């Protein structure tokens, strides 16, 4: 079939410079959610997106998606006019499913039901809402749909109807050329309404079948930031329920945000206020403390993350202990049983088995072996203002506190660096290397006193 997504509207009510359909829900444009749902209906459908307001930005965002055909609606004259712009790209012998770029949470199962209900006629997806305000109302006679009336054009009696148009419908494509070209715009908004084709179908005795959506959230349209936030919460709550049903312990399902994919093993516990984005994989028994932000990370079994950590692009082994207040930046790999403590930043580095960086340190561009102990306040000086250099720390090295390792430099196997060392040359295996002024005591020295 043809799947046409209407996404040309400007979304005045968003009061934003960003086109409405690019407004993000869970970190992803609403339109991308809709496109993903459309793709789940099968790969041999034609996917056409009608763009207009902010067309360049929308096109640029989906530049790499070769399965999308864009139809331009230069002037936004209404949903009927929008569909007309897509018609040249549609296969006349197949039905056309119309989706809206601002109805992001629609479920593929619901769409499949609708397509089935439509048969060779029109299929209309409706829903009953406690508060139908803003939506087109479904007008029925003796149970059969006879028209859709927009809120702004409705009589008081029609406004009381609580069955509404979700905007999602299946249409027999062969009639559209005629139906859409003959739409009028004599209505409250001066627009060519797609919804008017329903009365037209009825008048031509083309069957109009309806299907209902199971939940209100999946057909909720987003016209302003309030609705966007409400839908975001609904989406997050759904995610949270799914995680809990899979056995994840969420201390509070109302205080977790998954903006991407979160894959959890058995007996994972997540405390409040955590945000997961990109793809995050948590192994069996992982515990995530409160207020952690994790993006594109993989955490091994039984690792514990204490509160307030920020990880991005890192891989962590088993039984590690991280945080509180640790930062892992892209290109970081921590082996099993590592300990990373408070106010430690690690970037593009490998930390070997059982090594510890417990306090106030910066480790960048470093290859660290196993069982290394890094004292508090250690800094790898990896940057001379132009180039970056690597630091190598071999197995069992012990780095005293407040040490600077001026890269490129290597600390040998089992080497010890005295506290306060500024290391500019390699430190040999097994020896104590120290670079600091010798301590002395001046005997009999007196503090100055004030002259009275
Ligand atoms: C529309 C329906 C209404 C339905 C509601 C469901 C019409 C006339 N009304 O109203 O019955 O209850 O959706 O959410 O169809 N668009 C274009 N070009 C245009 C106008 C709109 O591409 O010229 C796109 C918008 O980007 C949007 C979608 O169509 O994605 C719906 O447009 P919108 O203006 O939000 O319609 P509603 O007033 O919500
Ligand atoms: Ca809308």
């Amino acid at each position: 079939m043809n799947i046409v997504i209407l996404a040309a509207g400007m979304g005045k009510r968003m009061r934003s410079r960003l086109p409405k359909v690019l407004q993000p829900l869970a970190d992803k444009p609403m339109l991308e959610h809709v496109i993903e749902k459309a793709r789940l209906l099968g790969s041999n459908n034609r996917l056409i997106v009608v763009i207009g307001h902010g067309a360049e930005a929308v096109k640029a965002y989906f530049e790499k998606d070769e399965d999308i055909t864009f139809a331009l609606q230069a002037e936004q004259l209404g949903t009927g006019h929008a569909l007309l712009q897509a018609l040249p790209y549609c296969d006349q012998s197949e039905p056309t499913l119309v989706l809206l770029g601002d109805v992001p949470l629609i479920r593929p199962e619901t769409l499949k039901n609708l397509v089935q209900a439509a048969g060779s006629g029109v299929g209309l997806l409706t829903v009953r809402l406690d508060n139908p305000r803003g939506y087109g109302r479904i007008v029925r006679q003796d149970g059969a749909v006879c028209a859709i009336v927009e809120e702004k054009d409705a009589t008081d009696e029609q406004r009381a109807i609580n069955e509404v148009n979700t905007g999602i419908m299946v249409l027999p494509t062969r009639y559209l050329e005629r139906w859409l070209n003959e739409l009028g715009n004599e209505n409250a908004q001066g627009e060519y309404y797609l919804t008017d084709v329903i009365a037209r179908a009825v008048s031509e005795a083309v069957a109009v079948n309806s299907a209902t959506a199971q939940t209100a959230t999946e057909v909720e349209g987003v016209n302003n930031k309030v609705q966007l936030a409400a839908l975001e919460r609904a989406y997050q709550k759904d995610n949270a329920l799914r995680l809990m049903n899979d056995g994840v312990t969420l201390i509070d399902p109302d205080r977790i945000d998954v903006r991407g994919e979160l894959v959890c093993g058995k007996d994972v516990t997540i405390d409040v206020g955590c945000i997961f984005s990109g793809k995050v994989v948590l192994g069996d028994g992982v515990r995530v403390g409160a207020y952690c932000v994790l993006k594109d990370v993989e955490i091994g079994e039984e690792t514990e993350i204490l509160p307030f950590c920020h990880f991005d692009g890192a891989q962590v082994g088993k039984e590690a202990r991280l945080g509180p207040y640790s930062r892992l930046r892209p290109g970081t790999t921590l082996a099993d049983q590592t300990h990373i403590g408070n106010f430690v930043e690690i970037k593009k580095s490998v930390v070997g088995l059982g090594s510890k960086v417990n306090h106030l340190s910066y480790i960048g561009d470093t290859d660290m072996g196993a069982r290394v102990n890094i004292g508090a306040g250690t800094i790898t000086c990896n940057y001379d203002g132009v180039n970056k250099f690597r630091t190598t720390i071999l197995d069992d090295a012990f780095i005293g506190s407040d040490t600077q390792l001026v890269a490129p430099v290597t600390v040998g196997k089992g080497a010890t660096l005295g506290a306060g060392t500024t290391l500019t040359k390699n430190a040999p295996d097994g020896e104590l290397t120290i670079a600091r002024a010798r301590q002395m005591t001046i005997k009999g020295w007196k503090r100055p006193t004030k002259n009275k």
Side-chain angles (χ1 to χ4, degrees):
M1 70 188 157
N2 310 294
I3 303 178
V4 178
I5 304 175
L6 306 185
M10 117 143 177
K12 260 186 241 123
R13 291 164 278 179
M14 280 289 169
R15 300 183 180 276
S16 168
R17 290 170 298 182
L18 194 65
K20 171 157 85 170
V21 294
L22 289 186
Q23 300 279 336
L25 188 136
D27 243 5
K28 196 157 65 183
M30 289 201 279
L31 178 57
E32 195 175 354
H33 285 270
V34 182
I35 288 172
E36 282 175 3
K37 302 305 168 49
R39 283 188 183 128
L40 290 174
L41 296 177
S43 54
N44 43 12
N45 296 316
R46 291 193 187 193
L47 186 53
I48 302 146
V49 178
V50 182
I51 52 175
H53 183 78
E56 286 314 310
V58 177
K59 239 177 162 163
Y61 185 90
F62 295 99
E63 200 176 35
K64 294 201 183 77
D65 301 68
E66 281 163 7
D67 57 338
I68 303 172
T69 302
F70 289 101
L72 184 70
Q73 185 194 23
E75 262 186 296
Q76 286 76 63
L77 303 179
T79 48
H81 179 258
L83 182 57
L84 185 60
Q85 313 312 307
L87 206 51
Y89 306 101
C90 293
D91 180 344
Q92 293 291 317
S93 64
E94 297 276 333
T96 296
L97 168 66
V98 179
L99 302 177
L100 304 186
D102 65 349
V103 181
L105 299 187
I106 186 69
R107 291 180 314 132
E109 301 76 54
T110 303
L111 295 176
K112 283 180 195 156
N113 288 343
L114 174 68
V115 171
Q116 210 154 47
S120 60
V122 172
L124 199 58
L125 185 67
T126 75
V127 68
R128 289 192 183 278
L129 297 180
D130 293 335
N131 176 11
R133 222 175 78 206
Y135 289 88
R137 306 298 204 280
I138 306 294
V139 182
R140 290 182 185 261
Q141 216 163 23
D142 304 323
V145 176
C146 53
I148 299 173
V149 181
E150 289 304 294
E151 159 115 4
K152 288 185 177 141
D153 302 286
T155 62
D156 286 346
E157 198 184 333
Q158 289 168 333
R159 275 187 196 151
I161 300 171
N162 70 354
E163 186 187 8
V164 306
N165 173 31
T166 63
I168 293 170
M169 53 181 89
V170 174
L171 298 164
T173 312
R174 59 187 185 284
Y175 297 113
L176 291 180
E177 172 95 54
R178 195 159 49 83
W179 287 357
L180 295 175
N181 275 305
E182 291 172 14
L183 284 174
N185 66 348
E186 305 80 34
N187 51 52
Q189 305 186 74
E191 287 183 2
Y192 297 93
Y193 291 164
L194 176 58
T195 45
D196 286 350
V197 301
I198 300 304
R200 183 72 189 259
V202 171
S203 77
E204 294 185 11
V206 174
V208 178
N209 303 300
S210 62
T212 45
Q214 293 308 302
T215 62
T217 16
E218 65 169 316
V219 292
E220 228 156 275
V222 173
N223 298 313
N224 57 43
K225 299 273 182 172
V226 176
Q227 290 168 330
L228 183 61
L231 216 55
E232 172 88 32
R233 283 303 100 213
Y235 173 87
Q236 293 301 346
K237 190 61 182 270
D238 265 12
N239 253 328
L241 294 177
R242 205 171 25 244
L243 286 169
M244 290 187 294
N245 284 326
D246 286 347
V248 177
T249 301
L250 299 180
I251 301 304
D252 181 354
D254 286 326
R255 284 184 287 169
I256 175 171
D257 286 80
V258 180
R259 303 169 186 167
E261 195 188 348
L262 173 60
V263 180
C264 294
K266 293 225 171 312
D267 299 304
V268 166
T269 299
I270 300 171
D271 209 335
V272 302
C274 293
I275 301 176
F276 300 90
S277 59
K279 180 165 185 183
V280 174
V281 180
L282 306 178
D284 293 350
V286 167
R287 283 150 294 161
V288 183
Y291 304 104
C292 289
V293 177
L294 272 54
K295 179 182 178 205
D296 294 321
V297 297
E298 211 179 311
I299 310 283
E301 289 166 30
E302 307 299 337
T303 284
E304 179 168 22
I305 304 171
L306 296 164
F308 303 108
C309 286
H310 188 285
F311 300 165
D312 178 3
Q315 237 176 333
V316 178
K318 293 189 272 190
E319 296 158 20
R321 206 188 64 219
L322 315 171
Y325 300 102
S326 301
R327 179 171 185 208
L328 303 180
R329 291 171 51 201
T332 295
T333 302
L334 307 181
D336 298 347
Q337 293 158 16
T338 42
H339 287 187
I340 306 300
N342 38 246
F343 307 106
V344 172
E345 172 181 348
I346 304 190
K347 185 212 83 170
K348 230 191 218 173
S349 295
V350 175
V351 176
L353 176 74
S355 290
K356 296 175 183 160
V357 191
N358 272 327
H359 331 269
L360 301 158
S361 293
Y362 171 65
I363 303 295
D365 304 308
T366 297
D367 299 295
M368 192 188 300
R371 298 171 303 278
V372 168
N373 187 77
I374 304 280
T378 295
I379 293 169
T380 54
C381 309
N382 58 332
Y383 185 50
D384 63 7
V386 182
N387 304 298
K388 300 257 169 73
F389 301 96
R390 294 197 74 85
T391 298
T392 305
I393 303 171
L394 299 177
D395 293 350
D396 301 297
F398 180 99
I399 312 292
S401 297
D402 191 26
T403 294
Q404 299 97 51
L405 303 152
V406 182
V409 73
T410 297
V411 178
K413 254 191 182 162
T416 304
L417 298 191
T421 292
T422 299
L423 193 72
T424 52
K425 288 177 285 191
N426 294 347
D429 293 354
E431 307 286 356
L432 168 66
T433 299
I434 187 162
R436 66 181 182 223
R438 258 180 201 285
Q439 180 169 324
M440 59 182 184
T441 302
I442 299 175
K443 280 240 165 93
W445 182 82
K446 292 264 182 315
R447 289 189 195 168
T449 49
K450 256 192 185 146
N451 287 331
K452 295 239 169 90

